[in-house]
Amino acid sequence: MIALIMAALAPAVALLLYFTLKRRADVERRLPVIRAFVIGVLIVFPVLVIEHALETEGVSIPFFAAQYTQAAVLEEGIKFFLLYTFVLRFAPIKNTYDGVIYGLSLSLGFASLENILYLIANGIETAVTRALLPVTVHALLGVIMGYYAVSAKRASRHGRRFFSFFLALAIPLIFHGLYDYILSASLGNILYYLVPFMLFLWWFALSKANKANAK
């Protein structure tokens, strides 16, 4: 069990270290980062309850729409609400990169517990695939969400603030739904779609992280 938990947490630790070391972390930011991670862990429970309720009630949703309503909207919506309401309102924010770290930490908290539960159910042999795909996707979406959420918070113009606020939720939601669709649809060789998707997601998230880091 210890080996399984370590395998489940390893990708989250690696990703958090990678993005944190891109810019030296302030001491006063460490506690809010931990708090964001814990909040992310707690998100898993209401998500599981709501998803179970949808399955139990037999809610009928068209296949493509289901990739968004049953996972993307639910998970990204709750993450965005808690990030903006309980993390960014109280955490110290000196620059846009702080948002990147907070969004990343919250998403990795969610992904870590989800990963532990998945490995318990399916075995440690799935750890590498989980690390490269769902955990990484959650992390990169957290980077994007955090970047735009803090951009909205720091924007001086109302229109710019609203637009960044909208992108903080809309972009992770779109990417998450597309990722789920690629995995669930019968598209032939899935790697033809999944590899370009992951490369683009990495590029997009890193471009935002680098832009935040330059400020």
Side-chain angles (χ1 to χ4, degrees):
M1 180 62 74
I2 294 178
L4 185 147
I5 293 175
M6 291 179 64
L9 293 177
V13 172
L15 286 163
L16 187 57
L17 285 174
Y18 171 75
F19 281 95
T20 299
L21 293 175
K22 286 175 69 68
R23 184 168 190 158
R24 180 178 297 179
D26 297 326
V27 173
E28 63 181 286
R29 194 177 63 192
R30 292 176 185 172
L31 183 58
V33 167
I34 295 172
R35 184 166 61 241
F37 186 90
V38 173
I39 290 173
V41 170
L42 297 177
I43 292 174
V44 174
F45 300 105
V47 167
L48 289 177
V49 169
I50 296 172
E51 289 180 344
H52 178 71
L54 290 173
E55 293 177 2
T56 302
E57 293 299 323
V59 178
S60 180
I61 303 174
F63 177 76
F64 184 77
Q67 310 312 308
Y68 287 89
T69 56
Q70 292 183 359
V73 170
L74 180 59
E75 295 178 11
E76 300 305 327
I78 293 177
K79 283 194 290 184
F80 175 74
F81 173 77
L82 294 180
L83 175 67
Y84 202 85
T85 304
F86 293 102
V87 178
L88 298 185
R89 286 183 62 188
F90 305 103
I93 299 175
K94 295 183 178 180
N95 48 66
T96 307
Y97 201 77
D98 287 340
V100 168
I101 297 299
Y102 294 140
L104 171 69
S105 183
L106 187 144
S107 291
L108 284 176
F110 178 89
S112 294
L113 181 55
E114 184 185 60
N115 205 27
I116 289 173
L117 297 175
Y118 188 92
L119 295 189
I120 290 174
N122 297 278
I124 197 172
E125 61 272 11
T126 61
V128 174
T129 301
R130 293 284 303 177
L132 294 175
L133 293 176
V135 175
T136 298
V137 169
H138 275 296
L140 298 178
L141 295 183
V143 168
I144 296 168
M145 181 180 291
Y147 171 83
Y148 283 110
V150 168
S151 295
K153 190 176 179 68
R154 293 167 59 86
S156 57
R157 292 184 298 170
H158 179 75
R160 183 64 182 176
R161 185 182 304 116
F162 176 81
F163 186 62
S164 296
F165 189 84
F166 170 77
L167 293 179
L169 177 60
I171 294 178
L173 193 156
I174 291 170
F175 276 128
H176 192 149
L178 182 58
Y179 168 74
D180 287 343
Y181 178 77
I182 292 172
L183 293 183
S184 304
S186 300
L187 299 174
N189 191 337
I190 194 174
L191 293 179
Y192 289 144
Y193 305 91
L194 195 56
V195 171
F197 172 84
M198 292 301 298
L199 290 175
F200 181 80
L201 184 58
W202 265 108
W203 170 81
F204 191 88
L206 286 176
S207 69
K208 297 307 173 186
N210 291 333
K211 185 175 180 180
N213 200 17
K215 293 182 178 180

